[in-house]
Amino acid sequence: IRAFARTHPLEGYRRLTFMMIDADVAACSPASVYRVLKNAGLLAGQSPTITKKGTGFVQPPQPHDHWHVDPWLNRIPRSSRAPSGRKGSPRATDDRAQIA
């Protein structure tokens, strides 16, 4: 198992298991392959990703500098909207004259 893992260093233990079964090298479970590779120090493992969790909030340099504008608050009055133009829609016709 260890020799096969050294010849295929980029493969994971599960893939190695089934590759060994297909190649008639060894017939064992993925758990056994994992245990053997872990004891031999051949498991690469995942590289840890660096996160900013726990570093705190970076304070803005000036008051109100971190605020953003929410487009939902920028409402367009109903009378200045363009008609939708869908068939069967009550707004399909130009109803600006009716509103004004």
Side-chain angles (χ1 to χ4, degrees):
I1 293 174
R2 286 182 263 149
F4 194 83
R6 285 188 188 104
T7 58
H8 301 88
L10 299 178
E11 306 297 341
Y13 74 95
R14 286 183 169 271
R15 187 171 175 97
L16 279 174
T17 301
F18 297 108
M19 287 172 62
M20 287 189 290
I21 291 171
D22 291 341
D24 288 331
V25 174
C28 53
S29 68
S32 297
V33 173
Y34 179 86
R35 187 177 60 250
V36 169
L37 295 179
K38 183 172 174 122
N39 290 338
L42 294 175
L43 285 178
Q46 294 182 347
S47 59
T49 57
I50 299 171
T51 64
K52 291 186 173 184
K53 184 174 181 178
T55 59
F57 177 71
V58 178
Q59 296 294 326
Q62 298 173 356
H64 310 296
D65 203 25
H66 67 283
W67 288 17
H68 67 277
V69 177
D70 191 355
W72 181 253
L73 298 176
N74 190 10
R75 302 296 303 258
I76 300 172
R78 192 169 186 86
S79 62
S80 64
R81 290 185 192 170
S84 66
R86 291 181 290 167
K87 289 184 178 180
S89 171
R91 298 193 47 80
T93 60
D94 191 7
D95 58 354
R96 288 187 200 140
Q98 296 172 2
I99 295 174

